[in-house]
Every structure is written in C-alpha cells, then in structure tokens.
Amino acid sequence: NNRLSGTLPTELGHLTALTSLSLKNNYVTGTIPAELGQLTVLTSLMIENNVLTGTLPTELGKLTAMKLLFVSSNVLTGTLPTELGKGNALQAFDARNNSLSGTIPKEFNTWIDLREIALDGNLLTGTLP
C-alpha cells in the first residue's frame, strides 16, 4: 500500500532468483512484461489493484512453481491464456474485476492444488472446465 507509479520494467525478468513479487494497491500502469516468464522460481505474483492494461502474457505459463497469481482490479483485457494451465502448482488465482473475455480454458483443470479462484467482474462466457 504505497503510492508507487510507473510501469513494470522488463528488467524484472533478470531477477531469476526472485520468489515473490508484491506490488499490490499502487498506481502501476502499462502492461505486464512477458519477461516475467523468465522468473522460473517465482511462487507468488501479487500485482492486484493497480492500473495495468493489456493482456495476461502467455509467458506466465512458464512459471510452473507459481502458487499465488493475483492480478485482480486492473484494466486487463483479452482472454485467459491456455498456457496458464501448465502451472499445476497454482493454489490461488484471482483475476476478478478486469475486462477479461472469452472462455475459461479447459487446461485450467490441471490445477490439482487449486484452493481459490476468483474470476467475477469480467466478461467471461461458456461453461466451467
């Protein structure tokens, strides 16, 4: 809960030993850099309640150690990437209150440790996988 602003730098992808990134409740703008997909030991990404735009990068599917992925209350658009289904360690996924559209990918049913999912406040359609 700071008043950080600006964008997420692509150079964050160089911090390959990073296990947790929390920048929630700030004024961070711009897109989520695809380079975050290089953080293969990242277990939690908490960037909710900012002003992030664009889509969820497919590269986030490379984060197979990810347990917590919180991107709620931003201005994200596009569909939920099927690649996110590769992260079978995911325990909580919160993408509510964005403008995400399309269906929930059937690949999400590989999240065998999932305990919490929040997708309300989007434009999603279809059935649950």
Side-chain angles (χ1 to χ4, degrees), residues 14-113:
H14 300 300
L15 304 175
T16 55
L18 192 66
T19 59
S20 180
L21 177 59
S22 178
L23 292 169
K24 57 187 175 182
N25 304 322
N26 282 292
Y27 302 98
V28 179
T29 59
T31 60
I32 301 170
E35 288 80 1
L36 293 184
Q38 299 170 21
L39 305 177
T40 55
V41 297
L42 193 69
T43 59
S44 62
L45 178 59
M46 297 171 286
I47 51 177
E48 70 266 32
N49 215 8
N50 280 288
V51 197
L52 293 166
T53 58
T55 61
L56 283 171
T58 59
E59 290 81 1
L60 294 181
K62 297 177 183 176
L63 305 178
T64 56
M66 180 78 68
K67 293 183 179 184
L68 307 174
L69 178 54
F70 298 156
V71 296
S72 64
S73 300
N74 280 290
V75 195
L76 298 174
T77 58
T79 59
L80 293 168
T82 58
E83 291 82 357
L84 286 180
K86 295 178 182 174
N88 59 8
L90 205 62
Q91 295 175 356
F93 178 50
D94 187 350
R96 65 184 146 185
N97 299 326
N98 281 289
S99 293
L100 298 169
S101 59
T103 60
I104 300 170
K106 67 180 182 332
E107 290 80 3
F108 284 18
N109 66 13
T110 63
W111 295 339
I112 56 175
D113 293 329

